[in-house]
Amino acid sequence: MGKTQQGQQTGGTVNVILWAAAGGYMYEGEQAEGWSERWVVDGLEDSPRGRLARVELPSGRTRTVPLRELPDGVREGDLLEVRSGVGGLVFRRLEAETRAARQEAQARLEQLNAGEGRPGQHTLSINSDGEIDL
């Protein structure tokens, strides 16, 4: 596994992951200096190896990343900027973009709820975490 170094950057905490040659999580396309994309934290889960974050890549594929390697306070639904740096990947929480995405999702849910009363329509209940209660 890699080691984590933490630093500060405007807009949130940055984690730099220094990947071990044999035990890192490098995937095709991530080795190139300057590589960058945005990932969405799809879920957090416990495993025998510790807490994991399941992240969705722009391709729609998912992967798991040890939670300890992501910035502190990461939650489900957070947007992360992921880029390659010298010696590893850099993760940064995109707080403003995450807030905007959550507000947009809430607005869409409210539009769905506004259809209340029409045959075949169901009202969605949202809990305090912004998730749909089933």
Side-chain angles (χ1 to χ4, degrees):
M1 298 285 166
K3 291 190 246 172
T4 303
Q5 297 177 341
Q6 290 197 3
Q8 292 294 323
Q9 179 174 333
T10 303
T13 302
V14 174
N15 277 17
V16 179
I17 308 305
L18 303 174
W19 299 96
Y25 291 89
M26 296 300 252
Y27 288 79
E28 183 179 336
E30 295 177 10
Q31 291 85 359
E33 184 71 27
W35 169 88
S36 171
E37 63 185 17
R38 292 180 179 202
W39 296 355
V40 178
V41 178
D42 185 52
L44 303 176
E45 51 198 52
D46 292 314
S47 82
R49 300 177 310 193
R51 297 273 296 160
L52 299 174
R54 185 179 56 253
V55 295
E56 183 177 337
L57 285 64
S59 67
R61 293 185 351 203
T62 60
R63 77 152 62 144
T64 56
V65 176
L67 187 58
R68 69 181 175 274
E69 295 182 359
L70 298 178
D72 290 339
V74 165
R75 302 181 358 190
E76 290 180 4
D78 281 354
L79 297 173
L80 302 172
E81 174 189 43
V82 183
R83 61 183 168 83
S84 63
V86 176
L89 296 179
V90 177
F91 294 89
R92 183 170 63 98
R93 287 179 62 209
L94 299 173
E95 295 174 23
E97 291 89 339
T98 297
R99 200 169 25 259
R102 285 191 171 121
Q103 289 171 348
E104 182 181 324
Q106 182 65 40
R108 281 187 276 157
L109 288 172
E110 288 171 4
Q111 286 177 341
L112 288 171
N113 281 334
E116 187 175 307
R118 286 189 272 161
Q121 296 286 325
H122 300 282
T123 301
L124 300 175
S125 174
I126 310 301
N127 67 25
S128 62
D129 291 330
E131 298 176 338
I132 298 172
D133 286 326
L134 301 176

